[in-house]
Amino acid sequence: MAIHDAFRILTVDNEPSVLCSLKFVFSAPRFEVTSAESGEAALAFLAPGTAPYDVLIVDQKMPGLTGAELVSELRTRGVAVTLLLLPAHLSPASLRPSDALHVHPTP
């Protein structure tokens, strides 16, 4: 990434307020933030032939495809991206899917 290029971030969360907050925190021009409201929508942004993202920030607990299931699918598809998995509530139960994928959630 050249010094003038924006750092590309894909945020994935079913809560619009969280997506809005992340877009505010990672503001332009240093960051280019794209938001997806589901794991399924994120897969479309990460399809072959699309521009790669530098970082993927994913909520763990979402309807449909959970964060851990999204990570698993991305690994199956060979998508290489730095990943932050953000569980809303840290508990042993919420950590199990992440542990199985060797992903360490970011509290």
Side-chain angles (χ1 to χ4, degrees):
M1 178 172 80
I3 195 93
H4 63 278
D5 291 340
F7 200 74
R8 297 195 68 216
I9 301 172
L10 177 60
T11 60
V12 187
D13 200 303
N14 62 303
E15 294 289 336
S17 61
V18 172
L19 294 173
C20 185
S21 296
L22 288 169
K23 204 169 243 189
F24 177 77
V25 169
F26 298 104
S27 58
R30 176 132 164 71
F31 302 100
E32 177 187 326
V33 179
T34 303
S35 299
E37 293 186 4
S38 69
E40 294 84 0
L43 289 175
F45 285 114
L46 296 161
T50 59
Y53 287 90
D54 299 298
V55 175
L56 180 61
I57 302 174
V58 182
D59 182 26
Q60 165 51 22
K61 189 174 180 184
M62 296 182 290
L65 207 58
T66 67
E69 291 167 340
L70 175 59
V71 170
S72 180
E73 182 60 28
L74 292 174
R75 286 185 176 166
T76 298
R77 295 181 183 197
V79 176
V81 65
T82 299
L83 175 81
L84 298 174
L85 189 59
L86 302 174
H89 306 284
L90 287 177
S91 68
S94 72
L95 294 175
R96 278 189 210 104
S98 305
D99 288 343
L101 292 167
H102 305 288
V103 172
H104 303 289
T106 305

